[in-house]
Amino acid sequence: MRTGTPARVGQYTALLAYLGFLAFPFLWLVSTAFKPPRELGSLHPTWIPEDPTLDNFRQAFDEQPLLHAALNSLLAALGAAVVAVLIATPMAYVVARRRTRLAKAVTGWVVVSQAFPFVLLIIPLFLVLKHLRLINSVPGLVLVYVVWALPFALWMLAGYVRAVPPELEEAAAVDGAGRLRTLVSVTAPLLAPGIVATALFAFITAWNEFFFALVLLKTPEKQTLPVVLTHFIGAEGVADLGPLAAAAFLATLPSLVVFALIQRRITGGMLTGAVKS
Amino acid sequence: MRHLRLLVPVLLLLLAGCSSGGTRDDGRITLRFQSLAWQEESVAANKDLVKEWNATHPDVRVEYVQGTWDSVHDQLLTAFEGGEAPDIIHDASDDLADFAYGGYLADLTDLLPARLKSDIPRRSWETTTFGGGIYGVPFLQEPRVLIADAKWLKRSGVRIPTPERPWTWAEFRRITEDLSGRGEYGVAWPLKEPVSATLNLSLSAGGQLFHRGPDGKVTVRFEAADQVVPRTVHAQIGTDRSASPTTLGSGGSDTLPGFFGGRYAMVPLGFSYRQQIVQQAPKGFEWQVLPAPAGAGGLTQGVSPQTLSIAEDSPHQKEAAAFIDFLLRPRNMVRLALGDWMLPTGTRALNDPALRTAEHGWSAGTALAAHLRPAPAQTVRGYPEWKDKVATPAFQEYYSGAIDIRELRERLERDGNLVLARYQR
């Protein structure tokens, strides 16, 4: 069935509107980051700053250790992504391929674990980490993020494993490949898009996380970006809007860059899978 | 699964190996001071004072830890439970009750020097006194004032109120009505947090709301004096159309563009909002600070001052108290007040010429200091739940016109007392 020109125009218009809707908060953030205080208090705000300034960035860097906090965030997010993927990949394989009671129990656990709110977990988690001497350390935070991301990562990866036809592994076995060889040479490459997507999920979750970092990190030199960003916010939600927007804009860049770098791999992998099936 | 069982402890060990952990105390006493200062000048003032203390006290080093107002209660609660709380804690008096009753904060009665105790008025100490003990030093506070468009008021010819001769609530209502029309409003009430604003201002009309019986139990009674402020605001929005209905869900900052743009003649805001106004007001915009309207209780209003407390678990309470005493010396208190654009509680600091200048409305605010009293809910256990579950939705619905004063009263009293009763068994 061919789509006519008016319908195509309609589709693109809807798509553009949707993109605009998605991009609006980010574009507004960028606009705010470059506005001087007087424009921020204007009744008729403009998209393009009338008198653009870098003062908000200067103030943000002067007031808070943004680079150091970004490094802490990067360490925590990369650590969480790598460890979560390392643990979740073999688990997901077992859950997807072996139809045992354990696999079912794990799936149930994944669903139940999503129901617990942060506040319920934080005090016991704090005590456990204190016992392990991992309070106020980025590795401690990585551990928490891994635990937090693991259920969903497992669930996500299990879906990717199921999408890889078992016949491919059987064919490799017939050709004489051992179990490990099959996993490394046949299954793992086909899982790459899933692994990348899962790592991205774990990375972004950890990069943006605020509450655990607030509670678990005590000294300023350990704090992550989301915690440092709240230093621009005062009592009753009053905010130093310009520097906050400047710092928040910079904080979103790594997520965007990581996503831009690997999104082609994700979509490429999906398409490959589609053709095979 | 066996590999996994091995993998997790190995990872834990690896991670633990990377951790710096441990104490950095090299024989000297190290105190951690968690400050919630957030404005550029305020952070600088706090850091400078810590630096000055460290330069003159080599044996007691203070480490400045930047906290955040966002989620401070949960963060402190977790730190207290885990025995990892900072030694010196910056917070607000309305957040202290649960920590004080929970035994997390040190009783400062015998720790603080007489100088500091006598410098801060009794009414301020009342905000941090729980069950006979003092659990925080109130040091900064802010009244709610009317920030007014000076040219607009002058043009209209209305009488400009002073602390000696403020507007009454009835007069305020009439004046805002006179100033309104053609899409312009006499006032814009930012009532995102309607409960504290209403209760604190209601003291001026003689409101009390929370009544403590001879058995020590507190009950809510929403009487005529408590209704003066809510009725005025309700009438301005619903009947007179002299208050903008769109700012009811707004925070103070959200009303500023409309104020600068000539849409509202006045905005009731905390005293510290002047900093934002100075930063953001368009060139040539003239503004002034006016006292909030008065009633049977005069200019009285409730406040919840910012406080400094000491953790009960701190092994160096005496040293922590000495640091607080240093931080709150009159000259230092003035520096903190200027940094936060607030009023100091200390009587000597309050008399400092820097806070008596007419510039940026400082003198108009300091004239109100003697009228500030503990916020009505200050020591009421169960207040946070009463506020969140009962009072906030009830006041929001009343101000938006969804319910009338009878329904408001019923909900505040009937539902409210059920909540409070649970905390007072």
Side-chain angles (χ1 to χ4, degrees):
Chain A
M1 199 171 81
R2 289 179 66 93
T3 314
T5 309
R8 186 54 61 96
V9 169
Q11 281 174 354
Y12 276 102
T13 310
L15 192 64
L16 270 177
Y18 184 58
L19 278 177
F21 173 74
L22 290 181
F24 177 82
F26 182 70
L27 295 177
W28 194 250
L29 181 76
V30 177
S31 168
T32 305
F34 290 96
K35 282 180 179 171
R38 289 191 204 291
E39 281 190 51
L40 293 175
S42 167
L43 185 58
H44 305 289
T46 53
W47 275 100
I48 312 282
E50 288 166 5
D51 188 13
T53 175
L54 290 174
D55 272 3
N56 293 327
F57 291 89
R58 181 201 54 73
Q59 199 183 332
F61 277 102
D62 281 355
E63 281 180 39
Q64 299 298 336
L66 290 180
L67 281 180
H68 197 82
L71 183 68
N72 289 338
S73 282
L74 192 68
L75 284 175
L78 277 179
V82 170
V83 179
V85 163
L86 281 178
I87 298 176
T89 308
M91 282 180 81
Y93 186 80
V94 174
V95 167
R97 286 286 189 257
R98 304 284 164 97
R99 300 197 180 281
T100 61
R101 279 185 192 167
L102 181 66
K104 280 184 187 164
V106 168
T107 315
W109 165 67
V110 167
V111 176
V112 171
S113 67
Q114 300 297 304
F116 292 107
F118 278 22
V119 178
L120 201 67
L121 299 176
I122 190 66
I123 290 177
L125 205 55
F126 189 91
L127 294 173
V128 170
L129 288 176
K130 191 188 167 198
H131 190 68
L132 293 170
R133 296 181 181 280
L134 283 172
I135 292 291
N136 198 32
S137 75
V138 173
L141 196 62
V142 168
L143 191 66
V144 172
Y145 289 165
V146 168
V147 172
W148 193 249
L150 203 54
F152 191 75
L154 177 62
W155 190 65
M156 208 168 151
L157 268 170
Y160 280 98
V161 174
R162 283 191 198 98
V164 175
E167 292 79 8
L168 290 178
E169 291 171 12
E170 288 162 12
V174 169
D175 288 344
R179 191 99 194 124
L180 190 66
R181 181 66 192 265
T182 308
L183 284 175
V184 172
S185 304
V186 178
T187 316
L190 292 170
L191 271 184
I195 290 174
V196 169
T198 309
L200 184 67
F201 160 77
F203 180 90
I204 291 177
T205 307
W207 180 265
N208 291 329
E209 200 283 328
F210 164 69
F211 190 59
F212 285 132
L214 171 74
V215 171
L216 298 176
L217 303 173
K218 293 185 295 183
T219 50
E221 61 268 25
K222 297 281 169 56
Q223 288 179 337
T224 56
L225 261 183
V227 177
V228 168
L229 287 183
T230 62
H231 296 164
F232 295 107
I233 302 172
E236 293 182 20
V238 182
D240 208 351
L241 207 54
L244 174 63
F249 167 57
L250 295 176
T252 55
L253 289 181
S255 291
L256 289 178
V257 170
V258 170
F259 192 79
L261 287 177
I262 61 178
Q263 58 97 15
R264 191 169 294 176
R265 293 211 58 174
I266 299 174
T267 47
M270 284 173 176
L271 287 174
T272 312
V275 173
K276 274 198 180 97
S277 62
Chain B
M1 267 324 272
R2 209 174 58 201
H3 294 301
L4 250 186
R5 261 186 233 142
L6 274 174
L7 185 64
V8 172
V10 168
L11 277 169
L12 273 176
L13 284 173
L14 279 173
L15 291 168
C18 299
S19 165
S20 61
T23 173
R24 287 186 294 159
D25 198 334
D26 50 2
R28 299 176 304 179
I29 291 172
T30 300
L31 301 172
R32 286 196 306 125
F33 165 39
Q34 178 170 298
S35 164
L36 301 179
W38 68 282
Q39 304 199 57
E40 193 176 10
E41 301 142 289
S42 171
V43 173
N46 275 277
K47 284 186 175 171
D48 285 350
L49 286 168
V50 168
K51 222 180 269 177
E52 286 166 28
W53 165 273
N54 286 337
T56 50
H57 297 79
D59 297 333
V60 183
R61 190 176 163 276
V62 172
E63 190 180 70
Y64 181 88
V65 179
Q66 182 69 65
T68 168
W69 284 105
D70 203 13
S71 309
V72 65
H73 187 87
D74 293 337
Q75 185 248 332
L76 282 175
L77 182 64
T78 312
F80 283 134
E81 285 286 341
E84 295 280 347
D87 299 277
I88 301 139
I89 297 158
H90 180 192
D91 202 352
S93 63
D94 57 357
D95 195 37
L96 294 186
D98 286 345
F99 294 146
Y101 288 122
Y104 298 119
L105 298 176
D107 182 356
L108 306 179
T109 310
D110 298 323
L111 285 170
L112 298 173
R115 177 205 71 76
L116 187 59
K117 280 186 185 168
S118 61
D119 187 36
I120 296 173
R122 178 193 289 272
R123 57 178 181 272
S124 294
W125 285 115
E126 282 171 15
T127 61
T128 55
T129 303
F130 304 95
I134 297 173
Y135 293 93
V137 184
F139 70 109
L140 291 179
Q141 58 189 351
E142 60 174 334
R144 202 170 288 265
V145 291
L146 296 173
I147 307 278
D149 182 329
K151 282 182 188 165
W152 189 340
L153 253 55
K154 201 173 172 185
R155 211 171 43 235
S156 68
V158 299
R159 180 179 74 81
I160 304 296
T162 61
E164 295 74 34
R165 230 187 116 215
W167 287 331
T168 62
W169 282 100
E171 198 177 1
F172 174 58
R173 183 180 164 188
R174 187 173 44 72
I175 285 169
T176 54
E177 199 178 357
D178 289 347
L179 294 171
S180 304
R182 302 178 312 279
E184 293 171 351
Y185 296 95
V187 66
W189 285 95
L191 287 175
K192 192 178 176 183
E193 300 279 348
V195 184
S196 57
T198 309
L199 265 54
N200 287 340
L201 284 174
S202 286
L203 291 192
S204 67
Q208 196 179 345
L209 198 69
F210 297 101
H211 298 264
R212 199 173 287 274
D215 57 354
K217 291 188 175 174
V218 174
T219 48
V220 177
R221 287 206 305 272
F222 189 57
E223 296 170 336
D226 300 300
Q227 297 175 12
V228 173
V229 176
R231 279 181 188 276
T232 306
V233 176
H234 184 265
Q236 285 175 320
I237 296 167
T239 314
D240 307 342
R241 312 261 183 242
S242 60
S244 166
T246 56
T247 61
L248 279 181
S250 305
S253 308
D254 305 327
T255 58
L256 292 182
F259 177 60
F260 298 143
R263 201 162 277 180
Y264 324 125
M266 287 177 281
V267 191
L269 291 172
F271 194 52
S272 63
Y273 273 89
R274 294 168 304 131
Q275 192 253 3
Q276 280 194 46
I277 293 170
V278 168
Q279 264 195 347
Q280 298 181 1
K283 276 182 190 147
F285 183 84
E286 288 176 26
W287 56 277
Q288 65 189 122
V289 175
L290 308 175
L299 280 169
T300 310
Q301 57 174 288
V303 283
S304 302
Q306 292 189 18
T307 55
L308 291 171
S309 301
I310 298 175
E312 175 65 12
D313 281 351
S314 169
H316 308 296
Q317 295 183 355
K318 228 175 78 186
E319 290 78 6
F323 174 69
I324 291 179
D325 180 41
F326 165 81
L327 208 60
L328 302 184
R329 283 178 191 168
R331 255 196 57 214
N332 295 344
M333 216 192 253
V334 172
R335 287 160 72 184
L336 293 172
L338 288 170
D340 255 327
W341 292 69
M342 286 185 160
L343 296 179
T345 53
T347 43
R348 287 176 61 193
L350 206 54
N351 285 325
D352 193 283
L355 304 179
R356 294 280 171 180
T357 168
E359 194 186 10
H360 302 325
W362 275 106
S363 52
T366 45
L368 300 173
H371 302 279
L372 304 181
R373 297 286 180 274
Q378 198 66 62
T379 53
V380 177
R381 298 206 73 182
Y383 168 74
E385 188 183 336
W386 174 82
K387 185 182 86 169
D388 291 344
K389 291 189 180 162
V390 178
T392 300
F395 273 115
Q396 279 170 343
E397 286 177 46
Y398 174 66
Y399 287 138
S400 67
I403 59 173
D404 61 13
I405 195 91
R406 267 182 44 202
E407 170 82 14
L408 173 67
R409 177 182 184 161
E410 204 171 302
R411 282 168 60 173
L412 293 178
E413 291 184 353
R414 186 195 57 202
D415 300 353
N417 283 324
L418 280 175
V419 170
L420 295 190
R422 277 201 283 110
Y423 287 83
Q424 303 183 93
R425 280 172 190 156

